[in-house]
Amino acid sequence: MNTIALSAERLLARLHHLGAIGRTGDGRLSRLAADDADKAGRDCLVGWLHEAGLEVAIDRVGNIFGIWRPVGVESEEALLLGSHIDTVIDAGIYDGCYGVLSGLEVIETLKASGLCPLRPIAVAAFTNEEGVRYAPDMMGSLVHAGGLGVEQALAAIGTDGTRLGDELRRIGYAGAQEPGFLKPHAYLELHIEQGPVLEREGLSIGAVATLQGISWQRVTIEGVANHAGTTPMAMRRDAGHAAARVITFLRESALAANMPAVATVGSLQLEPNAINVIPARAVFTVDLRDPDELHLREAETALAAFLETLAQSEGVTISVERLARFEPVMFDAALVGTIERAAAARGYACRRMSSGAGHDAQMMARITPSAMIFVPSIAGISHNPREFTPEVDLIAGACVLLDVVRDLVLPT
Ligand code: GLV
Ligand code: MN
Ligand code: MN
């Protein structure tokens, strides 16, 4: 394969530029789906897509596409690259943005090379991958893949009481295209690992073959508010204490199940949330993950049984709402092999691996051959401002993406 060089400088500059958008007064980065900061990030990305001479299309759920349709190419199905640019609260700059900007970089590089691909190539920034403000996560790609109706997605109510459809209209990203309008020939997503494996093993590239199942639930426990000083311990119906017991149960169950099952309570609110009042209500989220669907179901069943017993023993009422549920995914074996060969040809040490995090590729795999490329995350830290990947690895990942794209769309 003759060498075509992407611009490492441009890619890194854009990554840092986007990473500066959506910082709060204290410097924390938060671009939650369809909020003002997300709008500013989207506007910036769309500007770059236009500068690159791509056709820009926005669908009704706010997914952004930059499409290169080379003159004379008749195929409608595009090789789709992508990820997301929404973030968690107090995020790092790499999660999602790296994949979107690398996709753009690859397309710009090929466009400038004078080579003509056999089919269109497009980059997507999917709406609400993180699912922090609206559930479920991976929402834009799920809608694109036909797994969730667009009206249902737009009706999602956020943690702040807003409606996604209203917010997308407010920020100018309720597009005109019907979701799914762009038919993918295949989907590739480059992403930071967000875990410790590649760094620990001294590898530059992960060829992601599988992605674990995800179960999200919201649990509401209703107890009785009462005086913290006068209510004997035996007479309490303490929603806060019941929530604490669930948190402990989940941790102990996941530990007993042994790796790789994981369980997290990442959000918890108590009411009335006062120092001298026994909590009347606890609302918290449960995030369960496991690469084995059967084990994930067992974890869900065990939680349901625990909540039933807990309601009786603590004298509280418990209700559960399902927020998201995705089965484990196997990526396309041929694409995974292509990634491994591309890494080897560049001399990058690579291994097959599984993804612990959820990704848009998980949704796209429902409708098209899909796979992911991982690069190391230092100390395995992500969803944290300390998230970091060395430049040399960022460039290695983008080069592998470029080579895989060339392999898939250039005539041999
Ligand atoms: C997305 O980042 C997830 O795995 O929660
Ligand atoms: Mn991500
Ligand atoms: Mn994330």
Side-chain angles (χ1 to χ4, degrees):
M1 216 183 254
N2 56 338
T3 312
I4 303 172
L6 49 75
S7 169
E9 210 175 303
R10 181 170 58 191
L11 171 58
L12 295 172
R14 283 179 177 161
L15 193 56
H16 288 282
H17 188 104
L18 188 52
I21 296 176
R23 300 244 165 220
T24 53
D26 54 5
R28 287 153 51 110
L29 170 62
S30 293
R31 289 196 308 268
L32 305 191
D35 72 2
D36 290 348
D38 187 30
K39 173 187 167 39
R42 285 166 174 265
D43 288 350
C44 175
L45 173 65
V46 166
W48 287 330
L49 297 177
H50 281 301
E51 270 171 34
L54 304 185
E55 173 189 327
V56 176
I58 319 278
D59 72 16
R60 292 178 58 209
V61 76
N63 294 324
I64 299 172
F65 298 86
I67 309 166
W68 176 31
R69 294 185 205 274
V71 181
V73 168
E74 285 178 6
S75 167
E76 277 300 308
E77 290 187 345
L79 173 59
L80 189 56
L81 317 175
S83 199
H84 60 99
I85 64 165
D86 67 314
T87 74
V88 294
I89 297 164
D90 200 11
I93 68 169
Y94 304 93
D95 180 356
C97 302
Y98 169 54
V100 173
L101 297 177
S102 296
L104 170 58
E105 184 56 44
V106 164
I107 296 175
E108 271 191 278
T109 302
L110 284 173
K111 216 164 162 270
S113 73
L115 294 169
C116 187
L118 299 166
R119 59 182 66 256
I121 313 179
V123 58
F126 290 109
T127 294
N128 187 37
E129 190 273 350
E130 294 291 4
V132 169
R133 192 177 183 202
Y134 303 97
D137 52 348
M138 282 83 76
M139 186 187 268
S141 48
L142 180 64
V143 172
H144 187 94
L148 177 70
V150 62
E151 296 301 344
Q152 210 181 328
L154 296 176
I157 303 297
T159 49
D160 52 1
T162 55
R163 193 179 155 275
L164 176 62
D166 297 338
E167 285 292 273
L168 282 172
R169 205 169 326 107
R170 184 183 68 79
I171 66 166
Y173 281 89
Q177 295 283 355
E178 243 358 275
F181 77 97
L182 186 68
K183 300 284 174 256
H185 172 73
Y187 177 77
L188 290 169
E189 183 164 352
L190 173 62
H191 206 284
I192 55 166
E193 182 198 335
Q194 308 181 275
V197 176
L198 291 174
E199 188 198 24
R200 193 173 57 210
E201 298 186 9
L203 307 173
S204 315
I205 299 293
V208 186
T210 55
L211 193 153
Q212 68 182 346
I214 302 177
S215 164
W216 278 9
Q217 300 172 68
R218 183 188 292 123
V219 180
T220 301
I221 303 184
E222 307 276 359
V224 176
N226 210 337
H227 198 291
T230 61
T231 316
M233 295 310 284
M235 286 179 62
R236 294 177 181 221
R237 294 164 67 191
D238 183 340
H241 171 65
R245 285 192 58 193
V246 179
I247 295 172
T248 303
F249 168 80
L250 288 170
R251 183 177 171 82
E252 286 174 356
S253 307
L255 281 168
N258 236 326
M259 290 273 279
V262 286
T264 306
V265 173
S267 162
L268 165 68
Q269 288 96 36
L270 299 180
E271 286 177 28
N273 202 26
I275 189 167
N276 55 356
V277 184
I278 295 165
R281 172 191 266 241
V283 182
F284 57 96
T285 54
V286 176
D287 175 319
L288 302 173
R289 306 197 193 198
D290 201 301
D292 183 318
E293 172 62 19
L294 202 64
H295 291 163
L296 189 54
R297 275 194 220 154
E298 282 168 5
E300 291 175 316
T301 307
L303 173 62
F306 181 77
L307 293 178
E308 213 175 303
T309 315
L310 185 72
Q312 282 174 8
S313 64
E314 297 291 335
V316 293
T317 307
I318 303 182
S319 57
V320 176
E321 183 191 349
R322 186 178 281 296
L323 298 177
R325 182 63 162 85
F326 301 117
E327 292 187 2
V329 167
M330 279 182 72
F331 288 125
D332 184 77
L335 279 181
V336 176
T338 306
I339 292 167
E340 287 175 318
R341 281 193 299 282
R346 290 251 181 190
Y348 299 134
C350 169
R351 65 164 276 173
R352 270 184 192 221
M353 60 190 303
S354 186
S355 170
H359 294 290
D360 293 306
Q362 190 176 357
M363 303 303 125
M364 297 307 288
R366 296 176 175 210
I367 56 165
T368 193
S370 302
M372 297 189 71
I373 304 164
F374 274 178
V375 293
S377 291
I378 296 307
I381 292 176
S382 186
H383 286 184
N384 181 313
R386 282 164 51 224
E387 181 179 276
F388 180 68
T389 299
E391 290 185 355
V392 64
D393 293 325
L394 294 171
I395 302 311
C399 288
V400 171
L401 180 67
L402 172 65
D403 292 352
V404 173
V405 169
R406 291 183 64 184
D407 190 281
L408 294 178
V409 298
L410 291 184
T412 43

